[in-house]
């Protein structure tokens, strides 16, 4: 873990990011609107990726439509539920 990150966030367990992957534009207009990402200005699929502070990948969600918000992908991916279960089991 970088020294400045460790100093500012010493108890960090996981760093998460909503990562987007560009896709071909589908011909169906309804699907185009679901896959459209305002951030990337193209059609994308999105996944939640989690890494521990040393850089190891610890969580990858299913691919979801590019129009989904980062908050919604955290909720729908089960990430928060997983953290809650780990905390209740005494692992964190």
């Amino acid at each position: 873990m970088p020294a400045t990150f460790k100093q500012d966030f010493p108890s960090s367990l996981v760093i998460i990011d909503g990562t987007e992957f560009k896709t071909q534009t589908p011909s169906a207009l309804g699907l185009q609107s679901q896959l459209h990402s305002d951030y990337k200005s193209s059609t994308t699929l999105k996944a939640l990726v989690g890494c521990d502070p040393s850089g190891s990948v610890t969580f990858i969600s299913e691919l979801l439509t590019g129009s989904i918000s980062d908050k919604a992908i955290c909720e729908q991916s089960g990430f928060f539920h997983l953290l809650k279960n780990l905390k209740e089991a005494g692992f964190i």
Side-chain angles (χ1 to χ4, degrees):
M1 174 178 350
T4 54
F5 188 88
K6 189 173 187 175
Q7 180 181 351
D8 293 341
F9 307 100
S11 61
S12 293
L13 297 175
V14 63
I15 302 156
I16 58 174
D17 181 56
T19 302
E20 293 187 72
F21 302 95
K22 287 187 178 183
T23 64
Q24 291 181 339
T25 303
S27 57
L29 292 177
L31 193 52
Q32 282 182 27
S33 66
Q34 289 178 356
L35 293 179
H36 183 76
S37 166
D38 290 331
Y39 180 72
K40 295 284 184 182
S41 297
S42 63
T43 53
T44 64
L45 291 170
K46 198 172 197 179
L48 183 69
V49 178
C51 296
D52 69 14
S54 63
S56 298
V57 175
T58 58
F59 182 86
I60 301 175
S61 73
E62 294 180 352
L63 290 173
L64 298 165
T65 59
S67 61
I68 193 169
S69 69
D70 287 349
K71 180 181 178 181
I73 198 172
C74 288
E75 293 168 351
Q76 291 182 24
S77 68
F79 179 73
F80 292 143
H81 185 70
L82 176 64
L83 286 179
K84 180 182 173 190
N85 288 345
L86 289 172
K87 183 176 180 183
E88 288 173 355
F91 291 110
I92 55 174

